[in-house]
Amino acid sequence: MFEIILKLINAIIILIGVILIYDARIITKKLFGFGDQNEATSGLKILGTMLVAIGALILFFMK
């Protein structure tokens, strides 16, 4: 039971990471001005990539 809950939490973390990667430009348009938009987009994509990698590694090594 506990493993199922952990797998669901990791799947949600991976989903959030994928959303950050693909919708980074849309999210930054709402939050930042034009000058900061490119840097914020890069930061969100890097954060999303790290979330996907961490979540995938946790799922891979869980038994």
Side-chain angles (χ1 to χ4, degrees), residues 52-63:
V52 169
I54 290 169
L57 284 174
I58 291 172
L59 278 178
F60 181 73
F61 288 114
M62 261 178 56
K63 291 186 179 183

Side-chain angles (χ1 to χ4, degrees):
M1 181 69 178
F2 185 67
E3 290 182 17
I4 295 172
I5 293 171
L6 285 178
K7 286 182 182 181
L8 285 174
I9 291 171
N10 284 326
I12 291 171
I13 290 172
I14 292 171
L15 180 66
I16 290 171
V18 170
I19 289 171
L20 283 177
I21 292 170
Y22 285 109
D23 292 338
R25 181 71 62 183
I26 297 168
I27 293 169
T28 55
K29 278 184 183 179
K30 293 179 183 177
L31 298 176
F32 298 102
F34 184 72
D36 298 330
Q37 189 175 1
N38 290 331
E39 294 174 11
T41 301
S42 298
L44 283 179
K45 287 186 178 190
I46 291 170
L47 178 65
T49 304
M50 289 189 322
L51 282 175
V52 169
I54 290 169
L57 284 174
I58 291 172
L59 278 178
F60 181 73
F61 288 114
M62 261 178 56
K63 291 186 179 183

